[in-house]
């Protein structure tokens, strides 16, 4: 299948894709802040420049878009593979997954615990809040 956009249109569209301060990331940031937890953003000293960093707890949260990071859940409808230009998209998206795995392995080796929040999970706010709270409170004393 052929791309339906011209190269200029495709370039313009791709330039609008954000890597940080995305809508899903902002939802998670507001939720975590409302829960009373404080964090730093995008610490470039850590592998993968995590979205939310809790230094004292040595925990991080990544907010992943299901498409860009290819959410492996079969229930996720957002992680579909494009129908056109598979020669470009397949290696691109597989590369994103490999990079994510490498970053998480490096973080594990450095003693950091990580949680991935997938874009498709944002619709279940109560469950998401419970998961984040459990993750951040895990190992807390008193």
């Amino acid at each position: 299948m052929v791309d339906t956009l011209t190269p200029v249109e495709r370039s313009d569209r791709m330039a609008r894709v954000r890597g940080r301060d995305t809508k899903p990331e902002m939802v998670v940031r507001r939720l975590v802040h409302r829960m009373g937890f404080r964090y730093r953003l995008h610490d470039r000293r850590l592998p993968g420049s995590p979205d939310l960093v809790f230094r004292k707890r040595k925990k991080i949260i990544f907010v992943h878009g299901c498409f860009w990071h290819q959410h492996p859940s079969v229930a996720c409808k957002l992680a579909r593979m494009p129908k056109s230009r598979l020669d470009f998209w397949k290696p691109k998206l597989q590369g994103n997954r490999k990079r994510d795995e490498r970053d998480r392995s490096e973080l594990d080796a450095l003693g950091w615990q990580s949680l991935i929040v997938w874009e498709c999970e944002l619709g279940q706010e109560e469950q998401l809040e419970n998961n984040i709270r459990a993750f951040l409170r895990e190992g807390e004393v008193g």
Side-chain angles (χ1 to χ4, degrees):
M1 195 168 202
V2 179
D3 194 354
T4 57
L5 300 176
T6 68
V8 171
E9 291 169 328
R10 176 64 59 204
S11 177
D12 181 53
R13 184 164 300 171
M14 294 305 291
R16 286 186 258 146
V17 174
R18 300 170 70 148
R20 53 177 47 179
D21 301 332
T22 62
K23 287 179 186 178
E25 185 181 326
M26 298 305 288
V27 167
V28 172
R29 283 163 47 176
R30 280 191 292 272
L31 174 66
V32 171
H33 189 271
R34 191 170 60 239
M35 292 165 56
F37 295 102
R38 299 301 177 252
Y39 50 85
R40 296 285 176 208
L41 298 174
H42 310 289
D43 190 336
R44 297 179 61 88
R45 296 171 292 182
L46 293 172
S49 187
D51 298 313
L52 284 78
V53 178
F54 305 85
R55 279 212 163 267
K56 290 180 184 173
R57 298 170 188 275
K58 211 151 186 192
K59 295 184 179 191
I60 54 131
I61 295 177
F62 286 105
V63 182
H64 281 348
C66 296
F67 170 75
W68 292 105
H69 297 269
Q70 287 296 284
H71 188 186
S73 171
V74 294
C76 180
K77 305 280 189 251
L78 302 175
R80 65 169 184 74
M81 186 61 73
K83 292 182 176 142
S84 64
R85 297 196 57 217
L86 282 177
D87 57 319
F88 169 79
W89 283 111
K90 197 169 184 178
K92 164 72 176 149
L93 298 175
Q94 286 174 343
N96 289 352
R97 295 255 325 137
K98 286 179 184 170
R99 184 193 63 231
D100 292 342
E101 290 169 14
R102 185 185 65 237
D103 291 341
R104 289 196 63 197
S105 292
E106 290 176 22
L107 287 162
D108 288 346
L110 293 170
W112 288 82
Q113 291 179 303
S114 59
L115 173 70
I116 294 177
V117 174
W118 292 98
E119 177 184 10
C120 65
E121 297 172 335
L122 299 180
Q124 299 111 15
E125 189 169 333
E126 186 177 335
Q127 183 178 349
L128 177 61
E129 183 174 341
N130 290 338
N131 291 346
I132 291 172
R133 187 181 314 282
F135 170 71
L136 292 175
R137 292 242 163 105
E138 180 182 304
E140 253 184 22
V141 177

